[in-house]
Amino acid sequence: MSAPEAVIFDAYGTLLDIDAAMAAHAERLGERWPLLSAEWRAKQLEYTWVRSLTGAAHHEDFWLCTRDALDFVLARHGIRDAALARDLMQAYRVLPPYPEVPAMLRTVREQGIGTAILSNGTPGMLADALAHAGLAPLIDEVLSVEEVGVFKPDPRVYRLATRQYGCPPDRLVFVSANAWDAQAAHAFNMRVVRVKRAEAPDEYGLAAAELPVLRDLSGLQDLIA
């Protein structure tokens, strides 16, 4: 892989550990917390897709989608604890990075390659998360879907990156742990690297696309050097 103009990262689930919010309150949630975390994530994404598909009049930012998704999951499981809900939302606001992320970002920047985030998150969410995680000095640009008022995987979101860097999509590397996100970036003609932290079946024909796959982000700098 030749060196790109920049590496564009998804944030949630790629750089930031989305299970950490529930894990931080595992004692209060009990042994089912991993199930609750997975359901929260699934419902959060479902809400973004439905709001995108039903039009701009129904757009609600990612923070509100996240809150609505949590309310649904807690209600579904009969958990009626307003203090717990508040604490979970606060924990989601300051998710930690995966362990290898800071060193990887430093190395990428040392190679003279730009770093950016392209995320469903609001600017405020991303600013809080990056500051808490200590990643803010390692990210050159933070691009939020709020600039276009529609969520991934709409092509207008990925166009934010090409507009920012003033280059064709194939001069950018997009990195995501979400298969649907990887598929959308690939369809937009970006060079895509997938992160698969756990084994999962092929989706969206991505295996046939022969995209590079990493088990974590520690090897990314060698892949793009």
Side-chain angles (χ1 to χ4, degrees), residues 11-21 23 92 95-99:
Y12 295 98
T14 302
L15 297 180
L16 303 173
D17 183 355
I18 54 176
D19 289 319
Y92 202 93
L95 293 171
Y98 289 103

Side-chain angles (χ1 to χ4, degrees), residues 1-209:
M1 180 179 287
S2 58
E5 296 286 334
V7 182
I8 316 297
F9 295 92
D10 168 62
Y12 295 98
T14 302
L15 297 180
L16 303 173
D17 183 355
I18 54 176
D19 289 319
M22 289 280 186
H25 297 283
E27 290 187 6
R28 298 163 72 183
L29 292 163
E31 62 182 16
R32 60 182 170 171
W33 76 262
L35 171 64
L36 295 171
S37 186
E39 289 189 8
W40 187 10
R41 175 62 167 172
K43 184 58 67 171
Q44 175 198 54
L45 293 175
E46 178 190 321
Y47 283 5
T48 67
W49 295 333
V50 169
R51 289 190 175 279
S52 290
L53 288 168
T54 51
H58 301 280
H59 181 72
E60 184 176 78
D61 72 38
F62 197 59
W63 183 246
L64 297 179
C65 288
T66 302
R67 181 205 62 193
D68 291 347
L70 179 62
D71 289 346
F72 176 88
V73 170
L74 294 181
R76 182 175 180 273
H77 288 271
I79 300 173
R80 298 174 179 84
D81 185 336
L84 175 59
R86 286 194 299 271
D87 290 345
L88 288 168
M89 286 297 293
Q90 180 56 32
Y92 202 93
R93 193 87 184 184
V94 289
L95 293 171
Y98 289 103
E100 76 280 4
V101 165
M104 175 275 298
L105 288 173
R106 282 192 292 270
T107 303
V108 169
R109 295 181 86 244
E110 287 168 1
Q111 293 171 342
I113 300 171
T115 57
I117 282 176
L118 178 61
S119 174
N120 278 338
T122 68
M125 288 177 71
L126 294 168
D128 288 351
L130 293 177
H132 183 267
L135 301 182
L138 304 175
I139 298 293
D140 300 317
E141 304 291 342
V142 179
L143 306 174
S144 166
V145 302
E146 289 305 299
E147 293 187 47
V148 287
V150 68
F151 292 107
K152 296 175 179 180
D154 191 289
R156 286 171 288 179
V157 174
Y158 304 92
R159 194 169 292 120
L160 288 171
T162 56
R163 185 180 73 187
Q164 177 65 43
Y165 285 96
C167 66
D170 63 2
R171 290 295 304 145
L172 301 173
V173 169
F174 184 77
V175 182
S176 182
N178 302 295
W180 53 269
D181 196 16
Q183 190 276 339
H186 178 64
F188 191 68
N189 205 34
M190 285 178 163
R191 295 150 63 187
V192 175
V193 176
R194 292 188 63 196
V195 182
K196 290 181 67 175
R197 297 180 185 275
E199 290 297 328
D202 180 44
E203 297 182 88
Y204 313 114
L206 290 173

